[in-house]
Amino acid sequence: MGFDVAIIGGGPGGCTAADEVAAYGLSVVLFEAGMLGGTCLNRGCIPTKALLHEAALGISDPATLREKRADTVSALRGGIEKLMKVRKVTVVQGFAQITGPGRVSCDGELYEARDIIVASGSVPSIPPIAGADLPGVYTSNDVLEGVGIMPRSLAIIGGGVIGMEFALLFAQTGAAVQVLEAMDRILPPFDREIAQRVALHAKKHGIAIEASVQVQRIEGAPGEMRVSYADKRGQPRTLVCEGVLIATGRHANTGGLFADGALPELERGAIVADERGRTSVAHLWVIGDARARTVQLAHAAEAQARNVAACIAGRKPPVNEDLIPSCIYLSPEVASVGLTEDEAKAQGRAVICGKALTGANGKCLIEGSGSGYAKLVCDAQTHVVLGSQLVCPRASDMVAELALAINLGATAEQLAATVHPHPTISEMIGEAARIICREH
Ligand code: NAI
């Protein structure tokens, strides 16, 4: 069977690529071994946020949580299935393997396409800790795929985005949660000030955090696990808990994807690509978590999908991939886009910053959001917005305004000249901008 484009993986990257490529009038075949929607919809972003939302409302009954999450996931999946039909995308259920240039095999059938886009995503990385494969040791996949794991006490290994979101989720359902982080603080890639603020809020939710630890082994059975580790002074410690969650990162899902002789250049299992997603093999593209040195986020995969689809169709890539906002769904939320003050300074740039506090914002006070801020990082001379960090309610929605400002090269003066409605949390953006304008 011959197609213009074959896409491997039906997550946010693959489905967006299929939609875009088909909209350019090209024929598409999309292979998916599991369910359409990929990690994001079936065992990632959407179920986590659905569970966090329900838990924040005080729902902790596992059956109700499962049902609410399943309703959201199936409604969204239905939408994707409809879209694939409307676009006349041929969806093949099964594990696909690239056997050569323009050739894909799936369940004994051979498919041919001029271009192939790999969108096979990522899987949780398990560190080499003895006992990490024991029953009672989970990954986010286990929690989100409907197993109904609800331990009353939980050790979380890894204080990154997944570790901290799950810490809040389980703490809100009444579990005792302890996070064990190898680095000297949680959320290592994020701004230090954000990490400090998150640690403070985590403490208020009853979450214990220990940094600079070295986890040595896990023993026991579900309901009675023991995690042995060296604390920051090197002293041996043991944590007793009902379950253990491993959240130490994710790696590209490329196992079995390429037949012998069909392999493109890889870097630690991830597919090496140029800034346009071209791999070392002609007409083989990669988007999303399977790409080496990428930001592993659904909206980054979608941005890459739109650009690769345009390149294949001979059009100009429409999306600025250099500017990817990141969000953490905590209480309050965290969002960041562009440069932090430290990053700008490290690049030798003179910057001016404005920071509006949640304590002076009416809507935050009404909602009792706790301490937080909206910070703007601008060029010291021109006041062009270079970055922004938000720790406040609805930060994940508000960051889009800042991404737009940076994309358009807007200044603090232009943000300050824009009326933000009252009372809203977005007023903090106007306030942060005014602080910069006044300081000049
Ligand atoms: P991560 O890379 O964000 O964090 C992993 C953490 O584990 C790091 O802090 C690291 O220092 C620590 N760690 C590694 N080995 C360890 C060990 N042996 N003992 C203790 N700590 C150890 O990875 P995470 O949280 O698993 O997330 C994976 C990917 O999924 C990330 O790229 C993340 O951005 C993405 N994601 C994004 C979400 C969002 O945008 N809201 C939500 C969930 C995931």
mmCIF file with all atom_site columns, all heavy atoms in Angstrom, residues 130-152:
data_model
loop_
_atom_site.group_PDB
_atom_site.id
_atom_site.type_symbol
_atom_site.label_atom_id
_atom_site.label_alt_id
_atom_site.label_comp_id
_atom_site.label_asym_id
_atom_site.label_entity_id
_atom_site.label_seq_id
_atom_site.pdbx_PDB_ins_code
_atom_site.Cartn_x
_atom_site.Cartn_y
_atom_site.Cartn_z
_atom_site.occupancy
_atom_site.B_iso_or_equiv
_atom_site.pdbx_formal_charge
_atom_site.auth_seq_id
_atom_site.auth_comp_id
_atom_site.auth_asym_id
_atom_site.auth_atom_id
_atom_site.pdbx_PDB_model_num
ATOM 1   N N   . ALA A 1 130 ? 18.352 -1.364 43.263 1.00 0.00 ? 130 ALA A N   1
ATOM 2   C CA  . ALA A 1 130 ? 17.934 -2.739 43.565 1.00 0.00 ? 130 ALA A CA  1
ATOM 3   C C   . ALA A 1 130 ? 16.504 -2.713 44.088 1.00 0.00 ? 130 ALA A C   1
ATOM 4   O O   . ALA A 1 130 ? 16.159 -1.892 44.939 1.00 0.00 ? 130 ALA A O   1
ATOM 5   C CB  . ALA A 1 130 ? 18.869 -3.339 44.616 1.00 0.00 ? 130 ALA A CB  1
ATOM 6   N N   . GLY A 1 131 ? 15.651 -3.574 43.545 1.00 0.00 ? 131 GLY A N   1
ATOM 7   C CA  . GLY A 1 131 ? 14.260 -3.667 43.998 1.00 0.00 ? 131 GLY A CA  1
ATOM 8   C C   . GLY A 1 131 ? 13.320 -2.747 43.239 1.00 0.00 ? 131 GLY A C   1
ATOM 9   O O   . GLY A 1 131 ? 12.125 -2.737 43.518 1.00 0.00 ? 131 GLY A O   1
ATOM 10  N N   . ALA A 1 132 ? 13.840 -1.994 42.259 1.00 0.00 ? 132 ALA A N   1
ATOM 11  C CA  . ALA A 1 132 ? 12.983 -1.052 41.517 1.00 0.00 ? 132 ALA A CA  1
ATOM 12  C C   . ALA A 1 132 ? 11.919 -1.779 40.698 1.00 0.00 ? 132 ALA A C   1
ATOM 13  O O   . ALA A 1 132 ? 10.950 -1.170 40.265 1.00 0.00 ? 132 ALA A O   1
ATOM 14  C CB  . ALA A 1 132 ? 13.830 -0.169 40.604 1.00 0.00 ? 132 ALA A CB  1
ATOM 15  N N   . ASP A 1 133 ? 12.099 -3.110 40.496 1.00 0.00 ? 133 ASP A N   1
ATOM 16  C CA  . ASP A 1 133 ? 11.117 -3.869 39.702 1.00 0.00 ? 133 ASP A CA  1
ATOM 17  C C   . ASP A 1 133 ? 10.146 -4.656 40.585 1.00 0.00 ? 133 ASP A C   1
ATOM 18  O O   . ASP A 1 133 ? 9.355  -5.458 40.097 1.00 0.00 ? 133 ASP A O   1
ATOM 19  C CB  . ASP A 1 133 ? 11.853 -4.819 38.747 1.00 0.00 ? 133 ASP A CB  1
ATOM 20  C CG  . ASP A 1 133 ? 12.835 -5.729 39.483 1.00 0.00 ? 133 ASP A CG  1
ATOM 21  O OD1 . ASP A 1 133 ? 13.064 -5.497 40.696 1.00 0.00 ? 133 ASP A OD1 1
ATOM 22  O OD2 . ASP A 1 133 ? 13.356 -6.667 38.858 1.00 0.00 ? 133 ASP A OD2 1
ATOM 23  N N   . LEU A 1 134 ? 10.168 -4.424 41.902 1.00 0.00 ? 134 LEU A N   1
ATOM 24  C CA  . LEU A 1 134 ? 9.299  -5.183 42.807 1.00 0.00 ? 134 LEU A CA  1
ATOM 25  C C   . LEU A 1 134 ? 7.841  -4.745 42.652 1.00 0.00 ? 134 LEU A C   1
ATOM 26  O O   . LEU A 1 134 ? 7.572  -3.587 42.318 1.00 0.00 ? 134 LEU A O   1
ATOM 27  C CB  . LEU A 1 134 ? 9.709  -4.908 44.262 1.00 0.00 ? 134 LEU A CB  1
ATOM 28  C CG  . LEU A 1 134 ? 10.978 -5.579 44.785 1.00 0.00 ? 134 LEU A CG  1
ATOM 29  C CD1 . LEU A 1 134 ? 11.275 -5.071 46.193 1.00 0.00 ? 134 LEU A CD1 1
ATOM 30  C CD2 . LEU A 1 134 ? 10.793 -7.093 44.796 1.00 0.00 ? 134 LEU A CD2 1
ATOM 31  N N   . PRO A 1 135 ? 6.884  -5.648 42.940 1.00 0.00 ? 135 PRO A N   1
ATOM 32  C CA  . PRO A 1 135 ? 5.491  -5.198 43.020 1.00 0.00 ? 135 PRO A CA  1
ATOM 33  C C   . PRO A 1 135 ? 5.390  -4.166 44.153 1.00 0.00 ? 135 PRO A C   1
ATOM 34  O O   . PRO A 1 135 ? 6.088  -4.297 45.159 1.00 0.00 ? 135 PRO A O   1
ATOM 35  C CB  . PRO A 1 135 ? 4.709  -6.476 43.390 1.00 0.00 ? 135 PRO A CB  1
ATOM 36  C CG  . PRO A 1 135 ? 5.654  -7.613 43.246 1.00 0.00 ? 135 PRO A CG  1
ATOM 37  C CD  . PRO A 1 135 ? 7.049  -7.085 43.230 1.00 0.00 ? 135 PRO A CD  1
ATOM 38  N N   . GLY A 1 136 ? 4.581  -3.167 43.977 1.00 0.00 ? 136 GLY A N   1
ATOM 39  C CA  . GLY A 1 136 ? 4.504  -2.092 44.997 1.00 0.00 ? 136 GLY A CA  1
ATOM 40  C C   . GLY A 1 136 ? 5.350  -0.904 44.620 1.00 0.00 ? 136 GLY A C   1
ATOM 41  O O   . GLY A 1 136 ? 5.266  0.149  45.235 1.00 0.00 ? 136 GLY A O   1
ATOM 42  N N   . VAL A 1 137 ? 6.194  -1.084 43.558 1.00 0.00 ? 137 VAL A N   1
ATOM 43  C CA  . VAL A 1 137 ? 6.954  0.047  43.012 1.00 0.00 ? 137 VAL A CA  1
ATOM 44  C C   . VAL A 1 137 ? 6.277  0.416  41.690 1.00 0.00 ? 137 VAL A C   1
ATOM 45  O O   . VAL A 1 137 ? 6.126  -0.433 40.808 1.00 0.00 ? 137 VAL A O   1
ATOM 46  C CB  . VAL A 1 137 ? 8.433  -0.316 42.762 1.00 0.00 ? 137 VAL A CB  1
ATOM 47  C CG1 . VAL A 1 137 ? 9.181  0.882  42.209 1.00 0.00 ? 137 VAL A CG1 1
ATOM 48  C CG2 . VAL A 1 137 ? 9.086  -0.827 44.036 1.00 0.00 ? 137 VAL A CG2 1
ATOM 49  N N   . TYR A 1 138 ? 5.832  1.651  41.587 1.00 0.00 ? 138 TYR A N   1
ATOM 50  C CA  . TYR A 1 138 ? 5.019  2.064  40.443 1.00 0.00 ? 138 TYR A CA  1
ATOM 51  C C   . TYR A 1 138 ? 5.703  3.168  39.640 1.00 0.00 ? 138 TYR A C   1
ATOM 52  O O   . TYR A 1 138 ? 6.617  3.838  40.118 1.00 0.00 ? 138 TYR A O   1
ATOM 53  C CB  . TYR A 1 138 ? 3.665  2.600  40.931 1.00 0.00 ? 138 TYR A CB  1
ATOM 54  C CG  . TYR A 1 138 ? 2.982  1.709  41.938 1.00 0.00 ? 138 TYR A CG  1
ATOM 55  C CD1 . TYR A 1 138 ? 2.857  2.097  43.276 1.00 0.00 ? 138 TYR A CD1 1
ATOM 56  C CD2 . TYR A 1 138 ? 2.470  0.476  41.546 1.00 0.00 ? 138 TYR A CD2 1
ATOM 57  C CE1 . TYR A 1 138 ? 2.226  1.269  44.201 1.00 0.00 ? 138 TYR A CE1 1
ATOM 58  C CE2 . TYR A 1 138 ? 1.843  -0.355 42.459 1.00 0.00 ? 138 TYR A CE2 1
ATOM 59  C CZ  . TYR A 1 138 ? 1.727  0.041  43.790 1.00 0.00 ? 138 TYR A CZ  1
ATOM 60  O OH  . TYR A 1 138 ? 1.115  -0.771 44.695 1.00 0.00 ? 138 TYR A OH  1
ATOM 61  N N   . THR A 1 139 ? 5.215  3.343  38.410 1.00 0.00 ? 139 THR A N   1
ATOM 62  C CA  . THR A 1 139 ? 5.556  4.531  37.625 1.00 0.00 ? 139 THR A CA  1
ATOM 63  C C   . THR A 1 139 ? 4.239  5.286  37.418 1.00 0.00 ? 139 THR A C   1
ATOM 64  O O   . THR A 1 139 ? 3.166  4.769  37.747 1.00 0.00 ? 139 THR A O   1
ATOM 65  C CB  . THR A 1 139 ? 6.141  4.172  36.250 1.00 0.00 ? 139 THR A CB  1
ATOM 66  O OG1 . THR A 1 139 ? 5.115  3.526  35.494 1.00 0.00 ? 139 THR A OG1 1
ATOM 67  C CG2 . THR A 1 139 ? 7.365  3.291  36.364 1.00 0.00 ? 139 THR A CG2 1
ATOM 68  N N   . SER A 1 140 ? 4.335  6.482  36.822 1.00 0.00 ? 140 SER A N   1
ATOM 69  C CA  . SER A 1 140 ? 3.115  7.253  36.568 1.00 0.00 ? 140 SER A CA  1
ATOM 70  C C   . SER A 1 140 ? 2.160  6.444  35.679 1.00 0.00 ? 140 SER A C   1
ATOM 71  O O   . SER A 1 140 ? 0.949  6.539  35.821 1.00 0.00 ? 140 SER A O   1
ATOM 72  C CB  . SER A 1 140 ? 3.469  8.589  35.914 1.00 0.00 ? 140 SER A CB  1
ATOM 73  O OG  . SER A 1 140 ? 4.216  8.389  34.741 1.00 0.00 ? 140 SER A OG  1
ATOM 74  N N   . ASN A 1 141 ? 2.698  5.616  34.773 1.00 0.00 ? 141 ASN A N   1
ATOM 75  C CA  . ASN A 1 141 ? 1.845  4.782  33.908 1.00 0.00 ? 141 ASN A CA  1
ATOM 76  C C   . ASN A 1 141 ? 0.921  3.905  34.744 1.00 0.00 ? 141 ASN A C   1
ATOM 77  O O   . ASN A 1 141 ? -0.268 3.799  34.475 1.00 0.00 ? 141 ASN A O   1
ATOM 78  C CB  . ASN A 1 141 ? 2.706  3.841  33.046 1.00 0.00 ? 141 ASN A CB  1
ATOM 79  C CG  . ASN A 1 141 ? 3.332  4.554  31.871 1.00 0.00 ? 141 ASN A CG  1
ATOM 80  O OD1 . ASN A 1 141 ? 3.209  5.767  31.755 1.00 0.00 ? 141 ASN A OD1 1
ATOM 81  N ND2 . ASN A 1 141 ? 4.006  3.822  31.014 1.00 0.00 ? 141 ASN A ND2 1
ATOM 82  N N   . ASP A 1 142 ? 1.489  3.245  35.779 1.00 0.00 ? 142 ASP A N   1
ATOM 83  C CA  . ASP A 1 142 ? 0.686  2.334  36.604 1.00 0.00 ? 142 ASP A CA  1
ATOM 84  C C   . ASP A 1 142 ? -0.443 3.086  37.287 1.00 0.00 ? 142 ASP A C   1
ATOM 85  O O   . ASP A 1 142 ? -1.573 2.618  37.360 1.00 0.00 ? 142 ASP A O   1
ATOM 86  C CB  . ASP A 1 142 ? 1.555  1.663  37.686 1.00 0.00 ? 142 ASP A CB  1
ATOM 87  C CG  . ASP A 1 142 ? 2.727  0.915  37.077 1.00 0.00 ? 142 ASP A CG  1
ATOM 88  O OD1 . ASP A 1 142 ? 2.504  0.244  36.055 1.00 0.00 ? 142 ASP A OD1 1
ATOM 89  O OD2 . ASP A 1 142 ? 3.851  1.019  37.608 1.00 0.00 ? 142 ASP A OD2 1
ATOM 90  N N   . VAL A 1 143 ? -0.123 4.289  37.807 1.00 0.00 ? 143 VAL A N   1
ATOM 91  C CA  . VAL A 1 143 ? -1.126 5.052  38.553 1.00 0.00 ? 143 VAL A CA  1
ATOM 92  C C   . VAL A 1 143 ? -2.233 5.527  37.614 1.00 0.00 ? 143 VAL A C   1
ATOM 93  O O   . VAL A 1 143 ? -3.401 5.529  37.965 1.00 0.00 ? 143 VAL A O   1
ATOM 94  C CB  . VAL A 1 143 ? -0.475 6.270  39.257 1.00 0.00 ? 143 VAL A CB  1
ATOM 95  C CG1 . VAL A 1 143 ? -1.516 7.088  39.991 1.00 0.00 ? 143 VAL A CG1 1
ATOM 96  C CG2 . VAL A 1 143 ? 0.616  5.806  40.220 1.00 0.00 ? 143 VAL A CG2 1
ATOM 97  N N   . LEU A 1 144 ? -1.845 5.900  36.386 1.00 0.00 ? 144 LEU A N   1
ATOM 98  C CA  . LEU A 1 144 ? -2.803 6.556  35.495 1.00 0.00 ? 144 LEU A CA  1
ATOM 99  C C   . LEU A 1 144 ? -3.551 5.598  34.586 1.00 0.00 ? 144 LEU A C   1
ATOM 100 O O   . LEU A 1 144 ? -4.542 5.971  33.983 1.00 0.00 ? 144 LEU A O   1
ATOM 101 C CB  . LEU A 1 144 ? -2.087 7.611  34.645 1.00 0.00 ? 144 LEU A CB  1
ATOM 102 C CG  . LEU A 1 144 ? -1.490 8.750  35.470 1.00 0.00 ? 144 LEU A CG  1
ATOM 103 C CD1 . LEU A 1 144 ? -0.627 9.633  34.592 1.00 0.00 ? 144 LEU A CD1 1
ATOM 104 C CD2 . LEU A 1 144 ? -2.576 9.578  36.127 1.00 0.00 ? 144 LEU A CD2 1
ATOM 105 N N   . GLU A 1 145 ? -3.082 4.347  34.485 1.00 0.00 ? 145 GLU A N   1
ATOM 106 C CA  . GLU A 1 145 ? -3.743 3.429  33.553 1.00 0.00 ? 145 GLU A CA  1
ATOM 107 C C   . GLU A 1 145 ? -4.898 2.666  34.202 1.00 0.00 ? 145 GLU A C   1
ATOM 108 O O   . GLU A 1 145 ? -5.340 1.654  33.686 1.00 0.00 ? 145 GLU A O   1
ATOM 109 C CB  . GLU A 1 145 ? -2.726 2.473  32.935 1.00 0.00 ? 145 GLU A CB  1
ATOM 110 C CG  . GLU A 1 145 ? -2.066 3.124  31.737 1.00 0.00 ? 145 GLU A CG  1
ATOM 111 C CD  . GLU A 1 145 ? -1.006 2.269  31.076 1.00 0.00 ? 145 GLU A CD  1
ATOM 112 O OE1 . GLU A 1 145 ? -0.371 1.447  31.771 1.00 0.00 ? 145 GLU A OE1 1
ATOM 113 O OE2 . GLU A 1 145 ? -0.811 2.428  29.878 1.00 0.00 ? 145 GLU A OE2 1
ATOM 114 N N   . GLY A 1 146 ? -5.317 3.165  35.374 1.00 0.00 ? 146 GLY A N   1
ATOM 115 C CA  . GLY A 1 146 ? -6.549 2.621  35.934 1.00 0.00 ? 146 GLY A CA  1
ATOM 116 C C   . GLY A 1 146 ? -6.364 1.474  36.900 1.00 0.00 ? 146 GLY A C   1
ATOM 117 O O   . GLY A 1 146 ? -7.296 0.739  37.182 1.00 0.00 ? 146 GLY A O   1
ATOM 118 N N   . VAL A 1 147 ? -5.152 1.286  37.420 1.00 0.00 ? 147 VAL A N   1
ATOM 119 C CA  . VAL A 1 147 ? -4.940 0.190  38.378 1.00 0.00 ? 147 VAL A CA  1
ATOM 120 C C   . VAL A 1 147 ? -5.589 0.545  39.730 1.00 0.00 ? 147 VAL A C   1
ATOM 121 O O   . VAL A 1 147 ? -5.859 -0.323 40.549 1.00 0.00 ? 147 VAL A O   1
ATOM 122 C CB  . VAL A 1 147 ? -3.424 -0.087 38.547 1.00 0.00 ? 147 VAL A CB  1
ATOM 123 C CG1 . VAL A 1 147 ? -3.173 -1.373 39.300 1.00 0.00 ? 147 VAL A CG1 1
ATOM 124 C CG2 . VAL A 1 147 ? -2.745 -0.145 37.195 1.00 0.00 ? 147 VAL A CG2 1
ATOM 125 N N   . GLY A 1 148 ? -5.845 1.837  39.948 1.00 0.00 ? 148 GLY A N   1
ATOM 126 C CA  . GLY A 1 148 ? -6.496 2.249  41.192 1.00 0.00 ? 148 GLY A CA  1
ATOM 127 C C   . GLY A 1 148 ? -5.576 2.203  42.387 1.00 0.00 ? 148 GLY A C   1
ATOM 128 O O   . GLY A 1 148 ? -5.962 1.768  43.477 1.00 0.00 ? 148 GLY A O   1
ATOM 129 N N   . ILE A 1 149 ? -4.317 2.641  42.163 1.00 0.00 ? 149 ILE A N   1
ATOM 130 C CA  . ILE A 1 149 ? -3.339 2.598  43.254 1.00 0.00 ? 149 ILE A CA  1
ATOM 131 C C   . ILE A 1 149 ? -3.586 3.771  44.204 1.00 0.00 ? 149 ILE A C   1
ATOM 132 O O   . ILE A 1 149 ? -3.542 4.921  43.788 1.00 0.00 ? 149 ILE A O   1
ATOM 133 C CB  . ILE A 1 149 ? -1.915 2.678  42.658 1.00 0.00 ? 149 ILE A CB  1
ATOM 134 C CG1 . ILE A 1 149 ? -1.674 1.433  41.807 1.00 0.00 ? 149 ILE A CG1 1
ATOM 135 C CG2 . ILE A 1 149 ? -0.866 2.829  43.740 1.00 0.00 ? 149 ILE A CG2 1
ATOM 136 C CD1 . ILE A 1 149 ? -0.576 1.604  40.800 1.00 0.00 ? 149 ILE A CD1 1
ATOM 137 N N   . MET A 1 150 ? -3.872 3.498  45.459 1.00 0.00 ? 150 MET A N   1
ATOM 138 C CA  . MET A 1 150 ? -4.150 4.554  46.434 1.00 0.00 ? 150 MET A CA  1
ATOM 139 C C   . MET A 1 150 ? -3.485 4.230  47.776 1.00 0.00 ? 150 MET A C   1
ATOM 140 O O   . MET A 1 150 ? -4.161 4.000  48.774 1.00 0.00 ? 150 MET A O   1
ATOM 141 C CB  . MET A 1 150 ? -5.675 4.685  46.648 1.00 0.00 ? 150 MET A CB  1
ATOM 142 C CG  . MET A 1 150 ? -6.373 5.456  45.564 1.00 0.00 ? 150 MET A CG  1
ATOM 143 S SD  . MET A 1 150 ? -5.992 7.203  45.656 1.00 0.00 ? 150 MET A SD  1
ATOM 144 C CE  . MET A 1 150 ? -6.324 7.712  43.982 1.00 0.00 ? 150 MET A CE  1
ATOM 145 N N   . PRO A 1 151 ? -2.140 4.169  47.835 1.00 0.00 ? 151 PRO A N   1
ATOM 146 C CA  . PRO A 1 151 ? -1.503 3.858  49.114 1.00 0.00 ? 151 PRO A CA  1
ATOM 147 C C   . PRO A 1 151 ? -1.727 4.984  50.124 1.00 0.00 ? 151 PRO A C   1
ATOM 148 O O   . PRO A 1 151 ? -1.891 6.135  49.731 1.00 0.00 ? 151 PRO A O   1
ATOM 149 C CB  . PRO A 1 151 ? -0.019 3.730  48.747 1.00 0.00 ? 151 PRO A CB  1
ATOM 150 C CG  . PRO A 1 151 ? 0.132  4.492  47.496 1.00 0.00 ? 151 PRO A CG  1
ATOM 151 C CD  . PRO A 1 151 ? -1.174 4.461  46.778 1.00 0.00 ? 151 PRO A CD  1
ATOM 152 N N   . ARG A 1 152 ? -1.736 4.633  51.418 1.00 0.00 ? 152 ARG A N   1
ATOM 153 C CA  . ARG A 1 152 ? -1.917 5.681  52.441 1.00 0.00 ? 152 ARG A CA  1
ATOM 154 C C   . ARG A 1 152 ? -0.600 6.375  52.763 1.00 0.00 ? 152 ARG A C   1
ATOM 155 O O   . ARG A 1 152 ? -0.565 7.416  53.389 1.00 0.00 ? 152 ARG A O   1
ATOM 156 C CB  . ARG A 1 152 ? -2.544 5.074  53.702 1.00 0.00 ? 152 ARG A CB  1
ATOM 157 C CG  . ARG A 1 152 ? -4.059 4.890  53.562 1.00 0.00 ? 152 ARG A CG  1
ATOM 158 C CD  . ARG A 1 152 ? -4.604 4.027  54.644 1.00 0.00 ? 152 ARG A CD  1
ATOM 159 N NE  . ARG A 1 152 ? -3.992 2.701  54.589 1.00 0.00 ? 152 ARG A NE  1
ATOM 160 C CZ  . ARG A 1 152 ? -4.120 1.783  55.538 1.00 0.00 ? 152 ARG A CZ  1
ATOM 161 N NH1 . ARG A 1 152 ? -4.812 2.026  56.612 1.00 0.00 ? 152 ARG A NH1 1
ATOM 162 N NH2 . ARG A 1 152 ? -3.518 0.603  55.416 1.00 0.00 ? 152 ARG A NH2 1
#
